Every structure is written in structure tokens, then in C-alpha cells.
């Protein structure tokens, strides 16, 4: 019997849903409705409702979702868009591909999300042009938007971010690619809000490993703004307002009908899967009570996290990963090098020490197995191994002091 524990088991849920997924496939074959049509429309309706948003526009992946949202929002060459350095590169690729320059603010050391205080400092230290535009002091580019990333399935602290955006007249685009169904308790409005319902628009990825994943590529943008929805529908379909009437140049960035059908099947299971992930996160917390040598994810009082990833921090991350690999336990790092230090962004001119919290966190994080079907027995084994390693490590450290 294979006793290994994968970082992510994608096979089992697809085996379990085989019949429902096959039905979608056969339906698509019988109608040859591969592009657009009722399967896409049904998914868009259901996903908009799931996110408490008025509109959902299905697109080809999360990167396109971000890019189309930015272009539709009017982000353009000469703009600067502020995000965090500890996200997947798609966030900043979309900013650059809209013609703007990515800029960063550091993260909160507990939640790993954008630190609103750092955003405030950033905004307060820029300057204004004569015509009242907020300009980046170093580059002279106009600061037009902020992209908070709901990393690992936990929403960023949106109340202060939205307040600052209003004060400085910034567009807010949520990167919700890891946060399907995550919620934020807004003190200001005294209610829970869904990821994807708070900014001008929000981008989701349906990459197979996401909490809601397609059987291939997929993405969506949600928004409450009808004009944004209209523009994004055009952008995903070569700028067409109707067939062969191209109001603008757009892209080939549609969501496949078959993928939309698969996503509709899976969306029905998502609330249960989320509960299973939350249960698994609680179980890990119990298991790791054994040791103080591990920093657990901090679920902020403002958030109901959906645990896309369960990310811990340890001193000897590489050692722990090796130790777990020798027991057949899969791990990963999300992400080892912050974006401002990536070769692709050398031209932005940031060096080591520019975003110290993101840099420190990146050197210590490790993602443990996390998926809806993770069993208690598997988690016990992960727990035993992690505790054994971390306790041995702290004894060695104590002996050498
Ligand atoms: C935070 C974040 N943003 C954007 C993306 C891009 O999504 P996709 O891979 O579907 O293009 C991802 C996906 O990995 C992501 O995790």
C-alpha cells in the first residue's frame, strides 16, 4: 500500500465526481456547444451568487481575469499599481500587461496579507502633480490602483484598504485567485462580505489545484459594476460588442463551456469542501500544540479563511521539508522568492531589505498537505513528523547556546 501523503490529492475528488463530470462532457459532445452558451451562462450566474456579486465574467484563467479587470478599469501606461511582494507573479504580470508599473507595500507578519499601515505610509509619502494626481515620488508615475491579494485563502484587511482607496481615489481590484468563498467581517458595515464582492472587481483562478478548480484552465472576474462587466465581456472576446463588431482590440480569453460545466458540478460541493479544509486546519492546530517551534497560520478576527493552503513557519524550513519527504509527505513553498527580488523585476530597482517582512517570511514558510479529502490519520502522521523534527531542532539549538 502506498503510504505517502501528497501535498495535494487531485485524483480522488475527480474519481468521486466521475459520473457527474462525464455527463457534462457528453452533454457538450452532443450539442458541440464548446464556446459560450448555456453552460457558461449558468456557471457565471451561480458563481456571481456564490460571491454575493452582481456579475461574473468567465475567462480563460486567473491571470487574464486580473488583466481584463485592470484594462476595463482604465489602468494604462503611465500608471503605477500597488500590490504585495509575496504573491504569485501573475498579479504583477497583469499589472505590467495592462501597461502599468507594479509597486509594492510590505505585508503583515501575522496574516501575510497587505499591511494597511504600510499602504497608508506609502500613500502619505508620495506627492501630487499640479492637476491633483497622486504621483510616485521616484518614478513620477500616477498611482491609480491597489491590488490586495487574499493570500492562502484569507481575505486582506479590506476596511482600511478601501478607506485609503477612497481617500486617495484609487481603484481596488481584489486578487481572489486563492480565496473562493473566503469572507471578511467589515466592522464598518457590520457584516460579513465575500471575497470578490468588495473591490471594483475581483479576479479568480480555477487552476486545477485551487479550492474550486477546473479540469484545465479557467478564471473569472466578479464585479457589481455593469460597465465593468460589459467591458470585460468584450475584452475576453476580441473586443466584440456583437459578432464581428469590434469596438476595441481585445483578447482570446474566454472560459470554455466544458470547463464551465465542470465548475458548475464542483461549485455545488465547494461549501462542504471548505468546511473539510477548515476542519483540517483546526486539527493541525491541535496537533501542533506540542511545540512552540512552529508559527501557525493566524486567522485574523476579520476573516473566515478557506485554507487554500496551510502555511507554517519554521527556522529550518529546508530541513523540515527533507525530513517530511523522507516519510513520503509532500510539501511546497508559496513562494520562495518575493517578487521584488525576482530576476524579472530587476529593472524596478529594488534590492534586499526593501520589504523586510515579506523577505523574512519567504525564508521560513512551508505549505503542508491541505485538501478537502485529507484524513485525520494522514494529519496525525504529518503532526508526529513535524513535532519530532521541530522538538529535535529546538533541543539542538538549546544545546548549542
Ligand atoms: C494569487 C494568485 N494570483 C493570480 C493567479 C493566476 O491564476 P492562473 O494560474 O489561473 O492564471 C494565481 C494562480 O496561481 C494566484 O495564486
Amino acid at each position: 500500500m502506498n503510504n505517502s501523503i501528497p501535498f495535494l490529492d487531485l485524483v480522488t475528488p475527480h474519481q468521486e465526481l466521475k459520473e457527474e463530470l462525464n455527463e457534462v462532457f457528453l452533454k457538450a459532445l452532443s450539442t458541440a456547444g464548446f464556446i459560450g452558451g448555456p453552460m457558461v451562462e449558468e456557471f457565471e450566474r451561480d458563481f456571481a451568487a456564490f460571491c454575493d456579486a452582481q456579475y461574473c465574467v468567465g475567462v480563460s484563467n486567473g491571470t487574464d481575469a486580473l488583466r481584463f479587470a485592470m484594462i476595463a478599469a482604465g489602468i494604462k501606461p503611465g500608471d503605477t499599481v500597488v500590490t504585495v511582494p509575496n504573491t504569485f507573479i501573475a498579479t504583477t504580470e497583469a499589472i505590467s500587461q495592462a501597461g502599468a508599473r507594479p509597486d509594492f507595500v510590505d505585508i503583515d507578519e501575522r496574516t501575510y496579507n497587505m499591511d494597511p499601515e504600510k499602504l497608508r505610509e506609502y500613500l502619505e509619502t508620495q506627492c501630487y502633480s499640479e492637476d491633483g494626481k497622486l504621483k510616485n515620488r521616484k518614478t513620477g508615475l500616477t498611482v491609480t490602483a491597489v491590488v490586495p491579494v487574499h493570500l492562502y485563502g484569507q481575505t486582506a484587511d479590506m476596511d482600511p484598504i478601501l478607506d485609503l482607496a477612497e481617500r486617495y481615489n484609487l481603484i481596488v481590484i481584489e486578487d481572489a485567485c486563492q480565496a473562493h468563498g473566503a469572507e471578511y467581517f467589515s466592522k464598518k458595515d457590520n457584516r460579513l462580505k465575500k471575497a470578490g464582492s468588495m473591490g471594483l472587481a475581483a479576479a479568480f483562478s480555477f487552476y486545477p489545484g485551487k479550492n474550486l478548480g477546473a479540469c484545465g484552465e479557467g478564471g473569472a472576474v466578479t464585479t457589481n459594476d455593469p460597465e465593468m462587466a460589459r467591458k470585460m465581456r468584450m475584452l475576453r472576446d476580441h473586443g466584440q460588442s456583437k459578432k464581428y463588431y469590434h469596438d476595441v482590440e481585445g483578447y482570446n480569453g474566454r472560459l470554455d463551456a466544458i470547463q464551465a460545466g465542470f465548475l458548475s458540478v464542483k461549485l455545488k460541493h465547494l461549501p462542504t469542501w471548505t468546511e473539510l479544509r477548515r476542519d483540517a486546519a483546526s486539527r493541525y492546530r491541535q496537533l501542533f500544540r506540542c511545540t512552540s517551534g512552529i508559527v501557525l497560520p493566524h486567522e485574523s478576527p476579520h476573516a473566515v479563511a478557506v485554507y487554500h493552503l496551510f502555511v507554517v513557519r519554521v527556522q529550518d524550513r529546508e530541513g523540515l521539508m527533507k525530513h517530511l519527504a523522507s516519510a513520503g509527505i509532500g510539501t511546497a513553498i508559496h513562494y520562495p522568492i518575493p517578487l521584488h527580488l525576482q530576476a524579472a523585476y530587476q529593472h524596478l530597482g529594488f534590492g534586499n531589505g526593501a520589504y523586510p517582512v515579506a523577505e523574512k517570511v519567504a525564508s521560513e514558510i512551508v505549505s503542508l498537505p491541505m485538501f478537502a479529502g485529507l484524513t485525520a490519520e494522514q494529519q496525525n502522521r504529518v503532526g508526529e513528523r513535524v513535532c519530532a523534527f521541530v522538538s529535535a531542532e529546538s533541543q539542538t539549538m538549546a544545546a548549542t547556546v
Side-chain angles (χ1 to χ4, degrees):
M1 185 181 118
N2 180 358
N3 218 16
S4 62
I5 304 172
F7 168 68
L8 169 65
D9 175 11
L10 272 183
V11 175
T12 309
H14 290 97
Q15 288 299 313
E16 286 170 1
L17 295 177
K18 200 161 57 182
E19 276 167 29
E20 286 175 81
L21 296 174
N22 261 333
E23 256 176 53
V24 169
F25 187 56
L26 293 175
K27 188 170 155 194
L29 289 187
S30 69
T31 60
F34 300 124
I35 307 287
M39 290 211 278
V40 174
E41 283 158 22
E42 182 189 332
F43 174 70
E44 288 178 338
R45 234 181 359 257
D46 292 348
F47 194 66
F50 176 81
C51 296
D52 290 340
Q54 290 198 26
Y55 306 93
C56 166
V57 180
V59 297
S60 42
N61 53 62
T63 314
D64 274 353
L66 283 162
R67 180 162 55 142
F68 298 164
M70 289 187 206
I71 296 171
I75 291 164
K76 58 186 182 313
D79 290 356
T80 273
V81 176
V82 185
T83 188
V84 286
N86 64 331
T87 175
F88 183 55
I89 193 171
T91 317
T92 44
E93 281 175 331
I95 295 171
S96 303
Q97 289 164 9
R101 185 185 198 271
D103 208 350
F104 303 104
V105 293
D106 214 343
I107 55 167
D108 179 291
E109 189 166 346
R110 297 215 299 169
T111 63
Y112 314 136
N113 277 326
M114 179 176 280
D115 182 341
E117 271 312 303
K118 300 274 168 51
L119 179 64
R120 181 191 310 280
E121 275 168 32
Y122 173 93
L123 295 169
E124 282 174 355
T125 49
Q126 307 312 323
C127 55
Y128 283 94
S129 62
E130 275 175 12
D131 55 355
K133 286 186 178 153
L134 183 66
K135 295 283 179 183
N136 179 287
R137 212 174 260 286
K138 275 198 221 129
T139 60
L141 297 172
T142 313
V143 186
T144 50
V146 56
V147 181
V149 180
H150 304 318
L151 200 72
Y152 307 151
Q154 167 157 249
T155 48
D157 191 2
M158 293 301 287
D159 273 353
I161 293 172
L162 289 167
D163 277 351
L164 285 165
E166 198 178 334
R167 187 168 337 143
Y168 287 90
N169 199 21
L170 303 177
I171 293 157
V172 178
I173 302 213
E174 299 167 65
D175 184 336
C177 285
Q178 300 188 3
H180 316 70
E183 290 178 291
Y184 175 77
F185 182 75
S186 164
K187 271 198 193 150
K188 206 171 139 193
D189 297 336
N190 195 29
R191 67 179 176 91
L192 277 172
K193 294 179 175 180
K194 279 278 184 75
S197 68
M198 294 178 277
L200 174 63
F204 288 88
S205 164
F206 304 127
Y207 190 77
K210 298 292 196 241
N211 290 25
L212 177 64
C215 303
E217 300 278 359
V221 192
T222 52
T223 182
N224 288 318
D225 183 320
E227 190 52 17
M228 280 290 287
R230 186 188 70 81
K231 285 185 182 162
M232 291 183 301
R233 282 202 184 97
M234 287 202 319
L235 283 169
R236 74 173 171 185
D237 198 12
H238 298 286
Q240 298 186 119
S241 51
K242 59 182 180 179
K243 201 163 177 69
Y244 301 135
Y245 286 75
H246 305 272
D247 294 11
V248 290
E249 274 190 354
Y251 301 84
N252 179 352
R254 298 168 297 246
L255 174 66
D256 275 4
I258 289 180
Q259 296 304 339
F262 292 153
L263 287 164
S264 289
V265 167
K266 292 183 175 188
L267 183 58
K268 295 189 181 76
H269 297 273
L270 186 56
T272 308
W273 291 340
T274 299
E275 278 317 304
L276 290 170
R277 283 175 183 270
R278 288 186 55 78
D279 290 348
S282 307
R283 206 173 302 124
Y284 269 143
R285 288 184 195 286
Q286 291 292 322
L287 291 167
F288 297 139
R289 275 186 318 180
C290 63
T291 171
S292 57
I294 175 166
V295 181
L296 297 176
H298 171 71
E299 191 166 338
S300 146
H302 71 235
V304 184
V306 295
Y307 290 96
H308 171 53
L309 298 169
F310 192 88
V311 177
V312 299
R313 279 161 61 196
V314 288
Q315 282 300 312
D316 180 8
R317 182 249 312 272
E318 272 66 31
L320 176 63
M321 290 177 81
K322 258 195 215 144
H323 176 75
L324 294 178
S326 70
I329 297 170
T331 56
I333 305 173
H334 300 88
Y335 301 93
I337 302 176
L339 292 179
H340 66 285
L341 298 178
Q342 293 280 358
Y345 291 119
Q346 251 179 7
H347 64 280
L348 296 179
F350 298 109
N352 267 315
Y355 301 100
V357 182
E359 288 167 31
K360 174 169 183 265
V361 166
S363 69
E364 296 175 354
I365 44 175
V366 51
S367 309
L368 298 179
M370 171 53 80
F371 47 92
L374 189 64
T375 65
E377 187 272 327
Q378 287 175 316
Q379 286 195 274
N380 290 340
R381 278 165 48 211
V382 177
E384 269 167 32
R385 288 280 166 167
V386 171
C387 288
F389 180 84
V390 177
S391 314
E393 192 192 20
S394 38
Q395 274 169 20
T396 317
M397 274 164 61
T400 51
V401 174

